Amino acid sequence: MREVDRLTTEKYGIPSILLMENAAHASARVITEKLRGLIAGKPFLILCGKGNNGGDGAALARILWTMGYNVVVLLFGKVEETKGDARTNFDVLKKIDSEKLHGSLNFIELEEKDFEKGFHTVFYRRSFSGGSYCCVVDALLGTGLTRPLDEKLSYVTKIISEKQKWEQRKDEYLLVSLDIPSGLNADSNEPIGEKVHADITITFSSPKVANVVAPASSYNGELYIADIGSRKFVSESKTKTFVTEKSFVHGWIYNTKFSSASYKNKRGHALLVAGSNNYAGAAVLAGNAAIVSGVGLVTIATAESAQNSIASRVLPEVMTRGLPETESGAASEEAFDEIDEFIEKSIDAVEIGSGLSSSDDSTRRLVRRLVEQRRTPVVIDADGLTSLAPFDLKGSDELPLVLTPHEGEFLKLLGTKDKEAVKDRVAVGREFAQKHHVILVLKGERSLIAAPDGRVVINPTGNSGLGKAGNGDTLAGIIVGFAAQAAQMQVDMFETTVAAVYLAGLAGDIAAEKYGKRSMLASDVRECLREAFQSITN
């Protein structure tokens, strides 16, 4: 982002102070819209550090003041210690305060030895303009922080965050962070010490890793992304880390749209090698999700002893085939020739693993042969992943492999039990996808999709209600349904996977809204996929 800001100034001739002004105006719009009529008579408290993030806060304070609001600004330092664009904005505030111009703007400077006492006095004051603050703005530290806050600023961030948790308090306020909650390292998904727990974070031009990747992202609250005039250079930057946007998914839906010539064979045929005698439900969930994804045909190939159970529970549009099985009721290696022949005749994409069982050597050998001798793109989930762990195979551009592990399965693929190995999810996901030339869907809070070329896309949809049995199978079914359509219509498979994960998460968000996170089921997510499509296309 520093490079983007530099290019914006050099190529467009836009002064950096104007970018700061744009950031402040964008923040004022978000905050006043969010508070609306709740701010009458109540002041704002803006907490500023000495750097550019504090400069953003100072500019915001002036803008709110010109709009007629009462504002208290607390600078943790002296104006003489600031520089550049931040110094310019602090000088303006100091002049406004000293001349007691119309309206009310109180500008307070604190020496370091007075940080805690001065903050405590201002934060808990009740006499100023009718009582407590309507909004506290965190403009203490921005994207340059790489180490934990010192003791004094840790105290400040702890107090404003903890007080905000007590919603029943009459003096509840909106806690807003500018660019990033103070205390987070912008380039890391791991918190590094005490930090602000914001209600809203307004970040500029483009999100940072800590804005969107868990667990750091959970401290951002509701995230707003404000264009301050440098969006062009964001899109032209060499970054390989992205967040999925609704417009991108709309483009994928358009590229796979239904035409007057569409019929089932033109929409793709998805095969799921899934289910076993003990895990028929997983195959049902995956098959049902696949058939509502827009694909033309879906077939579940499963152990003979599980076929009737699956056929009686699956949607009537989904077909089933029985396969030779092991003594435990899972598909055996003897099924390979039958499956391979079926794939050669009519299949566009294959999903392997939902409820398949990996307890038998014969089943594990079947999975490996299906992957090594694949004829189509293959999506591997659940027991399919376990059968291949630790992972030593290679994907290809012509016949992509899509792996969909949660953290535990991913550790098995890596061949380790050390959770520290997946602490930096973006880095380890990128490295794994590049090493094995696969598309990796690393599930969890804020799932990410990594490509063989090093791109990593962070998915912004989904919620904790998806952390229940069957949602992984539902996601696998949606992905293979999308993959079959993409293969038939020659659409990029990585982009297809990104769109599938986004829409599956969006369906989960709709289900949470309708049924609540506590009660929502994987089958509810499948049902809400229809509404997810409509919300994008409308």
Side-chain angles (χ1 to χ4, degrees), residues 122-234:
V122 173
F123 187 65
Y124 286 105
R125 69 192 300 174
R126 293 292 181 272
S127 58
F128 182 83
S129 297
S132 60
Y133 302 105
C134 67
C135 178
V136 174
V137 177
D138 158 35
L140 291 167
L141 293 161
T143 57
L145 187 70
T146 57
R147 61 173 183 258
L149 298 177
D150 62 31
E151 184 178 351
K152 292 182 175 65
L153 287 181
S154 290
Y155 170 80
V156 173
T157 59
K158 183 177 181 180
I159 292 297
I160 61 175
S161 295
E162 284 191 350
K163 181 171 175 289
Q164 182 61 353
K165 293 178 183 178
W166 296 93
E167 296 183 4
Q168 70 271 26
R169 296 279 288 269
K170 292 181 180 179
D171 53 358
E172 183 190 5
Y173 54 84
L174 187 72
L175 180 51
V176 179
S177 288
L178 300 186
D179 218 5
I180 192 167
S182 292
L184 294 179
N185 179 343
D187 296 321
S188 173
N189 63 295
E190 285 291 331
I192 55 175
E194 195 64 55
K195 58 272 173 191
V196 170
H197 197 153
D199 297 312
I200 290 175
T201 298
I202 305 165
T203 199
F204 308 121
S205 297
S206 185
K208 291 74 186 174
V209 170
N211 290 137
V212 292
V213 183
S217 61
S218 62
Y219 294 94
N220 286 260
E222 193 174 354
L223 182 67
Y224 288 82
I225 303 168
D227 182 11
I228 61 173
S230 53
R231 183 73 172 177
K232 171 180 171 60
F233 290 108
V234 171

Side-chain angles (χ1 to χ4, degrees), residues 70-114:
N70 298 322
V71 184
V72 179
V73 180
L74 199 56
L75 171 60
F76 288 81
K78 306 293 285 185
V79 171
E80 294 74 24
E81 298 168 348
T82 65
K83 58 185 179 180
D85 299 333
R87 174 66 180 268
T88 300
N89 277 297
F90 285 125
D91 281 338
V92 171
L93 290 188
K94 194 168 185 177
K95 186 174 181 61
I96 293 171
D97 182 52
S98 66
E99 296 187 3
K100 302 301 178 187
L101 300 176
H102 71 87
S104 184
L105 189 149
N106 283 16
F107 179 58
I108 303 165
E109 302 170 76
L110 294 176
E111 293 185 12
E112 186 172 353
K113 65 182 178 64
D114 298 325

